[in-house]
Amino acid sequence: MQLRISHTTRYNYDQPVVYALQKVRLRPVDDPMQTVVDWRVEIAGGTCETSYRDHYGNHVDLVSTTPGEAELSITASGTVDTQDTAGILGKRYGRAPLWHFKQATDLTAAGERVAALAETTREKRDTLQALHDVSADILRAAPYGFGKTDANSTAEDALALAQGVCQDHTHIMLAVARTIGLPARYVSGYLMMNDRVDQDASHAWTEVHVPDLGWVGFDVSNGVSPDERYVRLAVGRDARDAAPISGLRVGNADETLIVSLQVQQ
């Protein structure tokens, strides 16, 4: 499947910015699930200072805001050929070792609720089926919904609130997989919806390293493994590592964020 994507992130400030630096992870890379046909990142109100591959293999652009500007716009767009591999990325490894993805973070630390989900998973002999089962268990325990969690909510927070979005579902799945001893990582990317072109935000899902198979994806929010409708952008131990854009700002300006995203064939 060939997917066309246009993703604009616009920051508006109520006064000129003294200094701002954004770490931009908006360039997909080729892998067994996707081939980048063409891609570009355009910046208005700022400059790309440098580009590099981080220790996870993500392509990162460091973008600084032009001093005195009150608006920064970053647009990523292009075409990606995708294929359905039943969610299996396989045995592809970078500089970050597998044990690194067994480490909990503040957002994925396991508490009593995660431990209870992990306990039912440990009892099953088929690891792959157990992971599909716990994915369904997570969605039942914390149905998809906006308003209760935020960007700083942990896996345990979402389970306690019994609601979450894709970021929360991914953090819970990460916590469960690591609790049972499996390396797991957060994936940020795009999902083509069947019923719409315009979307509110990018998507997120989990990849777990399964013995004999390598990395396998699980989209808890939609109850499936990623197929040809998905495009991978970045990976990390949690949402902070793999965020499409993250950064810092110097000064007292208040910020308004506007996101425009279209994903279509």
Side-chain angles (χ1 to χ4, degrees):
M1 180 180 290
Q2 190 167 91
L3 299 180
R4 292 185 290 116
I5 298 160
S6 179
H7 182 190
T8 298
T9 305
R10 183 173 292 107
Y11 297 89
N12 291 306
Y13 306 100
D14 64 354
Q15 58 183 285
V17 175
V18 176
Y19 178 78
L21 185 67
Q22 303 288 356
K23 188 177 289 186
V24 179
R25 306 176 188 87
L26 284 173
R27 295 185 187 269
V29 299
D30 293 348
D31 62 40
M33 303 175 75
Q34 63 190 35
T35 301
V36 180
V37 178
D38 62 80
W39 198 265
R40 59 195 172 276
V41 175
E42 300 170 300
I43 302 161
T47 303
C48 182
E49 300 289 353
T50 188
S51 300
Y52 62 94
R53 287 289 188 97
D54 67 14
H55 54 296
Y56 295 121
N58 304 321
H59 187 124
V60 181
D61 295 314
L62 283 183
V63 175
S64 64
T65 303
T66 303
E69 286 284 346
E71 180 177 305
L72 172 66
S73 176
I74 302 171
T75 298
S77 60
T79 306
V80 181
D81 282 337
T82 62
Q83 60 179 320
D84 186 357
T85 63
I88 300 173
L89 181 67
K91 298 180 179 181
R92 290 176 60 88
Y93 308 109
R95 284 176 288 174
L98 284 177
W99 58 258
H100 179 73
F101 295 104
K102 291 184 178 182
Q103 296 178 332
T105 66
D106 291 342
L107 294 173
T108 62
E112 293 181 1
R113 292 175 176 84
V114 167
L117 287 168
E119 193 59 36
T120 61
T121 306
R122 281 198 184 97
E123 300 168 358
K124 300 175 182 179
R125 294 184 179 181
D126 185 327
T127 301
L128 187 61
Q129 186 58 55
L131 291 168
H132 282 295
D133 290 346
V134 79
S135 175
D137 292 342
I138 291 168
L139 193 57
R140 282 191 289 269
Y144 190 93
F146 292 97
K148 289 188 177 181
T149 59
D150 58 36
N152 295 313
S153 296
T154 67
E156 285 288 335
D157 290 338
L159 287 170
L161 293 167
Q163 188 182 95
V165 294
C166 60
Q167 174 175 304
D168 304 302
H169 293 152
T170 301
H171 284 156
I172 298 168
M173 188 72 173
L174 291 172
V176 172
R178 291 168 183 164
T179 298
I180 63 175
L182 295 175
R185 62 191 184 186
Y186 190 105
V187 185
S188 63
Y190 301 115
L191 167 60
M192 186 191 74
M193 303 286 194
N194 294 327
D195 61 345
R196 74 197 73 166
V197 171
D198 292 299
Q199 300 182 27
D200 296 324
S202 55
H203 196 48
W205 59 95
T206 311
E207 285 180 348
V208 182
H209 193 271
V210 178
D212 300 326
L213 287 177
W215 293 108
V216 181
F218 300 87
D219 180 358
V220 174
S221 299
N222 290 294
V224 298
S225 283
D227 53 28
E228 71 274 11
R229 297 171 299 149
Y230 291 71
V231 172
R232 301 170 74 254
L233 272 180
V235 301
R237 287 189 302 168
D238 60 21
R240 291 171 182 164
D241 286 339
I245 302 178
S246 59
L248 57 85
R249 184 176 76 254
V250 176
N252 298 318
D254 288 331
E255 173 186 286
T256 301
L257 175 64
I258 301 172
V259 175
S260 173
L261 172 61
Q262 295 85 38
V263 184
Q264 60 190 308
Q265 280 186 278

